[in-house]
Amino acid sequence: MGKGIERVLLVFPETRYPSGQPPLGLGMLAAITRSVGIEAEVFDMSFRKRPFRELRDALSEYSPDTVGISLMTPQIADAVRTARITREVLPEVLLVAGGPHATVLPEDTLIRTGADLVYSGEAEIAWKRLLQGEDPSKIPGFTMMTDGSVTSVPGLLLTQDLDSLPLPDRSVFDMEKYFDSWYS
């Protein structure tokens, strides 16, 4: 995977029905990322007027070396577009996809998004191991292309002790937008 990860942008693709609930999974990954001394920001497309144009600007300005996209099945088209824009702006970025759709259909997610890595399952342990430089081909749950073929690392990394995980970092969210949506 080359040099170490230094700056991460976690993206929640546009959704047609924004809710008052922030994508706490990304808040958790941001907390884990920051806990190992790596910069992290979240780009939630839910409340953006021009989400893809703003994404392009955020990628250019923040210039992450790693982008993580979390997606549910209704977001697959927007996740694919997000991945395409990410590759246009930052061709060498490490692109990782995860979330419910990726967990159920990792090969589909890998092929459709063109991600370097797709994670199936609870990502907290695997994400930390990836950030700390472990080879993803040794981390259970990752799917990737190897010599032109899809390869999946068998197994799951499940968190047995939820208290061992940091709380989601809510500072990465504009909570007022969620509150406004929740109460509208």
Side-chain angles (χ1 to χ4, degrees):
M1 289 285 127
K3 67 180 180 73
I5 296 171
E6 297 176 4
R7 181 177 289 160
V8 174
L9 182 66
L10 300 165
V11 181
F12 189 70
E14 185 174 23
T15 177
R16 284 153 187 51
Y17 307 104
S19 77
Q21 182 65 41
L24 292 179
L26 292 184
M28 177 71 77
L29 295 181
I32 290 167
T33 304
R34 290 175 172 182
S35 78
V36 297
I38 296 172
E39 289 182 51
E41 294 295 330
V42 171
F43 188 87
D44 182 354
M45 298 175 112
S46 300
F47 303 103
R48 309 241 178 207
K49 291 193 186 318
R50 304 182 121 191
F52 295 104
R53 179 174 290 167
E54 291 178 48
L55 172 66
R56 187 177 294 278
D57 293 342
L59 289 165
S60 293
E61 291 167 20
Y62 187 61
S63 192
D65 52 57
T66 304
V67 172
I69 302 172
S70 177
L71 65 140
M72 296 178 283
T73 300
Q75 295 171 300
I76 188 66
D78 289 328
V80 168
R81 187 172 175 194
T82 296
R84 182 181 48 76
I85 289 168
T86 299
R87 286 282 190 223
E88 287 172 7
V89 176
L90 301 167
E92 301 300 316
V93 76
L94 174 62
L95 186 57
V96 183
H101 185 85
T103 295
V104 176
L105 297 168
E107 289 185 29
D108 173 74
T109 304
L110 183 74
I111 292 165
R112 289 174 73 175
T113 64
D116 297 300
L117 300 169
V118 171
Y119 192 74
S120 300
E122 296 176 10
E124 291 83 6
I125 296 170
W127 184 247
K128 187 172 186 177
R129 286 171 60 174
L130 180 70
L131 294 174
Q132 292 175 324
E134 189 168 337
D135 181 343
S137 69
K138 308 280 189 248
I139 303 173
F142 270 116
T143 298
M144 65 211 77
M145 293 298 278
T146 307
D147 300 324
S149 299
V150 175
T151 303
S152 294
V153 183
L156 294 173
L157 294 173
L158 301 176
T159 305
Q160 301 300 319
D161 177 14
L162 295 179
D163 291 333
S164 69
L165 299 175
L167 292 173
D169 184 344
R170 292 177 186 264
S171 73
V172 296
F173 303 116
D174 180 351
M175 292 303 296
E176 289 302 315
K177 289 185 177 171
Y178 298 98
F179 294 146
D180 289 346
S181 177
W182 190 262
Y183 294 114
S184 64

